[in-house]
Amino acid sequence: MDPRKSDAIHNERFVKIICVGAGASGLCLAYKLQRSFRQFSLTIYEKNPDVSGTWYENRYPGCACDVPSHNYAYSFEPKLDWSSVYAGSAEIRQYFRGFATRHNLWQYIKPSHRVVETRWIEASGKWEVQVTDLASGHVLHDWCHILVHATGYLNQPAWPQIPGWKDYTGITLHSADYDETVSLAGKDVLLIGAGSSAVQILPAIQPIVNRVKIFIRSPTWLLPDISTEAGQFSPEQIARFVEHPESVQRLRLENERTMNSIFTMYLRDTVLQRQSRELLESVMRKGLPKEEMQRRLIPTFAVGCKRVVPSGFRYLETLSKANVEIVYGGVSSVSATGCCSEEGTAHRGDVILCATGFDASFIPRYPILGPGGRNLQAEWAQEIGGYMGVGISEFPNTFTMLGPYTSVPNGPTLTEPIHSMAPKREACAAFTAHVAAVMHKTVWTDRCRNSHNNHAISGRTPTTWPGSTLHYLEAIREPRYDDWDLRYAGNRFAWLGTTGISQAEWDATADLAYYIRQADDDARWASRWRRNLAVAKTGTMMPPRILHRQAKLAAKEDDRPDRLQSRAESPEGDLVLSQA
């Protein structure tokens, strides 16, 4: 009797995968699995009625991305017809919807399904997943070999923890869960917060409200203005982009090269940190007419400690409008008619709009019950752990995308006869200790509130990757198997098959003498250092650069606000200034 293909070496086992979240990471996982694998099933449970994650949930006035549009796309899937330098949230939602449609990803997605509990079953090596169908209210019970958490962390509104909310008789809104049916026309608005969202909201609502008071507890570093209005592409510019895709590719490459050349700005006492501080302080002083505003609104902490906001001049100009009042400090309490500032002054308002960001604690939104009934919610409430942004210590067969200590998403799968795999506790502990040691050299541990430290000064170790994006890509390029605890179902060498037949012998079109050649294989892939050189395209025609310097950060005498504005609006020129 002839052997079966299933008994050949490296036969792919069937793997059932569940992903939680259909945002950018979940959609990319679906695309990559579909492109590269065969023996799998995938279900993506998404609590919202549509895809795009945080871009579905963030709909506040003026909401836009703070990365140039042409670079806010999958590296392999550019969009040529972005309407502006900084795309609005609605246009970004359409990009992700279009991506799902073009690649037939809707077959994997179950919208309006909220995961409410996940539980590891040791005997079977599977996860049980409990899901609520939000449309019908029915509870579903599913299971998987691999559980991927692609829930992100910029989706849970962080309401200010101040007393009196129940007493307020007006309308309360939050930027992270905005109600678009509420009209602010003619209203008196109390805007709490002065971070990325507030910088976009204030210029958007100022022309229509009666009056707005903005409560600024701490300042923010601001870049020259490249807002959705100031950076709008003309129909002629968009047509040129569409007709000449190579021009978009050049722009994306230049933007990305600029971003990847400035990481030392995030290290203390470097030339780029000094240059960026001098540049931003100079342009902010020119945009703030009063000395008190300069003193209160120009940060004293390092550039990059808190996310730099690239909508500067329009926001700074709005602060001086007649119907805008700045209240320096936070809010101490809420009353029936408004709120009270930390100085004790009462402020009346028809609407309280909180632009206070997200709960960036990384604590899971649902129980993740691992071996022995351990609940990751309880463990991460005490201390954030994890392994290089993708694994969870001793929680088998479950992975995170954009988890703590990561900068880009990634997702593994299993095809060998593995019962379970999980990062070792000692590996995670050593990784966390290394991150803590490196962070003291960065600006993220300066005295500012940011999402990396969950908006607490001198709080936890920042949960971003302790290095540049390129550093992270090199770090995760090759697995460190000694950091993982792998357990097999049966004999660990079962992957060899039972008949001694290769996969090539089961391919009718394969060359069964493929290893006979006239010259050796390409040496670029023979060792790690050669692979790194090859991946980085070392030795290509790129002109040599001065290491750890960026000319766009060096302040010049002609860096006037109007000149910087002109650069920002050019689709061909200095758009990369927005990333400096």
Side-chain angles (χ1 to χ4, degrees):
M1 184 174 65
D2 286 339
R4 297 177 302 175
K5 187 176 186 297
S6 60
D7 292 330
I9 186 175
H10 286 306
N11 183 64
E12 295 178 359
R13 62 176 283 205
F14 171 77
V15 178
K16 189 175 188 309
I17 304 165
I18 288 177
C19 175
V20 187
S25 297
L27 293 177
C28 189
L29 173 68
Y31 166 82
K32 295 287 188 177
L33 286 172
Q34 180 176 265
R35 184 195 65 156
S36 302
F37 294 91
R38 297 172 296 180
Q39 298 297 324
F40 76 93
S41 72
L42 171 66
T43 302
I44 301 178
Y45 289 113
E46 168 57 55
K47 70 179 187 304
N48 293 320
D50 203 351
V51 299
S52 75
T54 192
W55 294 108
Y56 175 84
E57 295 168 346
N58 284 270
R59 305 174 299 276
Y60 57 81
C63 183
C65 186
D66 58 1
V67 172
S69 303
H70 288 102
N71 288 70
Y72 197 81
Y74 295 120
S75 60
F76 53 87
E77 185 106 359
K79 174 177 163 64
L80 304 178
D81 58 347
W82 288 110
S83 65
S84 58
V85 178
Y86 278 11
S89 61
E91 190 172 6
I92 297 172
R93 286 198 299 274
Q94 287 304 112
Y95 170 80
F96 287 117
R97 283 186 55 83
F99 180 80
T101 299
R102 280 191 300 277
H103 298 290
N104 194 27
L105 304 182
W106 292 101
Q107 60 180 311
Y108 308 116
I109 302 167
K110 289 187 177 295
S112 298
H113 281 69
R114 182 188 295 274
V115 171
V116 294
E117 183 181 282
T118 62
R119 183 184 298 270
W120 171 250
I121 306 300
E122 177 65 24
S124 60
K126 300 174 182 177
W127 283 91
E128 289 184 349
V129 180
Q130 185 174 316
V131 187
T132 298
D133 182 340
L134 299 179
S136 66
H138 294 155
V139 176
L140 311 177
H141 296 276
D142 204 348
W143 67 274
C144 59
H145 296 109
I146 298 175
L147 176 62
V148 179
H149 308 276
T151 56
Y153 69 105
L154 298 181
N155 52 30
Q156 183 80 4
W159 289 89
Q161 298 301 305
I162 50 180
W165 283 109
K166 294 181 179 179
D167 298 328
Y168 183 58
T169 58
I171 300 170
T172 57
L173 298 170
H174 197 288
S175 58
D177 188 21
Y178 194 81
D179 184 351
E180 294 176 286
T181 65
V182 175
S183 172
L184 300 182
K187 299 284 199 308
D188 290 333
V189 178
L190 304 175
L191 177 59
I192 302 176
S196 302
S197 300
V199 168
Q200 294 178 336
I201 290 171
L202 183 65
I205 69 172
Q206 178 270 327
I208 63 171
V209 301
N210 177 55
R211 188 169 186 80
V212 57
K213 295 184 179 181
I214 179 170
F215 293 78
I216 302 178
R217 182 173 60 172
S218 60
T220 301
W221 285 111
L222 301 168
L223 279 170
D225 196 4
I226 311 177
S227 65
T228 50
E229 179 177 310
Q232 200 81 14
F233 292 131
S234 69
E236 294 76 18
Q237 289 172 322
I238 296 173
R240 286 201 301 270
F241 283 144
V242 173
E243 293 169 8
H244 302 284
E246 68 279 3
S247 67
V248 173
Q249 179 69 355
R250 287 196 302 269
L251 178 61
R252 297 175 76 211
L253 287 171
E254 182 62 18
N255 280 349
E256 208 74 13
R257 286 165 183 156
T258 297
M259 288 187 279
N260 288 333
S261 72
I262 64 170
F263 175 73
T264 57
M265 183 187 77
Y266 297 99
L267 299 178
R268 297 175 184 268
D269 304 320
T270 60
V271 171
L272 286 186
Q273 172 61 215
R274 175 180 57 78
Q275 288 181 338
S276 61
R277 184 164 190 152
E278 290 174 352
L279 172 62
L280 296 190
E281 185 169 336
S282 172
V283 297
M284 285 187 68
R285 285 190 182 281
K286 293 172 183 176
L288 293 169
K290 299 179 181 178
E291 184 177 343
E292 182 187 18
M293 296 176 75
Q294 295 177 5
R295 179 171 57 84
R296 292 202 182 238
L297 297 181
I298 297 178
T300 58
F301 50 77
V303 174
C305 174
K306 188 176 181 179
R307 190 172 181 89
V308 178
V309 181
S311 300
F313 294 143
R314 189 168 177 233
Y315 168 74
L316 295 180
E317 291 172 357
T318 305
L319 289 175
S320 299
K321 298 293 185 181
N323 66 335
V324 176
E325 179 182 339
I326 301 174
V327 180
Y328 296 106
V331 174
S332 61
S333 63
V334 175
S335 66
T337 58
C339 60
C340 185
S341 67
E342 291 176 337
E343 295 180 348
T345 304
H347 299 271
R348 299 176 62 90
D350 305 310
V351 178
I352 297 179
L353 202 172
C354 294
T356 47
F358 308 91
D359 174 3
S361 67
F362 275 105
I363 297 173
R365 314 298 187 208
Y366 46 86
I368 301 176
L369 305 176
R374 293 168 52 195
N375 188 347
L376 192 65
Q377 288 178 313
E379 294 193 10
W380 279 10
Q382 299 298 317
E383 181 181 10
I384 296 296
Y387 176 82
M388 301 182 75
V390 298
I392 303 170
S393 172
E394 298 180 323
F395 276 68
N397 294 9
T398 187
F399 303 93
T400 58
M401 301 180 79
L402 288 182
Y405 312 115
T406 189
S407 58
V408 293
N410 185 54
T413 187
L414 305 172
T415 57
E416 293 186 18
I418 295 175
H419 171 275
S420 61
M421 62 183 296
K424 297 175 182 176
R425 180 177 291 272
E426 58 268 27
C428 290
F431 170 71
T432 303
H434 175 79
V435 170
V438 172
M439 283 300 171
H440 290 295
K441 302 176 183 179
T442 72
V443 300
W444 295 308
T445 52
D446 205 352
R447 293 189 60 78
C448 79
R449 294 178 173 86
N450 59 51
S451 60
H452 306 313
N453 59 27
N454 201 24
H455 308 289
I457 294 177
S458 301
R460 71 187 184 194
T461 299
T463 50
T464 189
W465 178 255
S468 67
T469 297
L470 294 177
H471 181 261
Y472 183 73
L473 292 176
E474 284 193 26
I476 66 169
R477 188 170 295 146
E478 299 176 9
R480 293 177 53 87
Y481 291 108
D482 56 329
D483 291 343
W484 293 79
D485 180 18
L486 272 67
R487 298 179 56 202
Y488 291 85
N491 191 307
R492 68 174 59 221
F493 286 100
W495 60 271
L496 286 171
T498 61
T499 60
I501 303 294
S502 70
Q503 288 290 323
E505 290 166 88
W506 277 103
D507 185 345
T509 64
D511 180 358
L512 298 186
Y514 61 83
Y515 49 87
I516 300 297
R517 56 210 186 276
Q518 289 185 316
D520 199 0
D521 293 333
D522 191 336
R524 290 181 302 171
W525 308 104
S527 63
R528 177 181 290 124
W529 74 270
R530 285 189 179 275
R531 286 193 294 274
N532 284 340
L533 293 179
V535 171
K537 300 180 181 179
T538 299
T540 56
M541 299 306 293
M542 289 293 299
R545 68 186 185 282
I546 301 175
L547 297 178
H548 313 307
R549 298 291 184 271
Q550 176 49 248
K552 296 178 180 68
L553 285 179
K556 305 178 184 65
E557 289 185 3
D558 63 349
D559 275 338
R560 304 184 305 273
D562 59 335
R563 182 172 177 80
L564 290 172
Q565 177 78 359
S566 176
R567 291 179 184 177
E569 292 178 1
S570 167
E572 299 286 353
D574 291 327
L575 289 181
V576 292
L577 180 65
S578 65
Q579 285 301 132

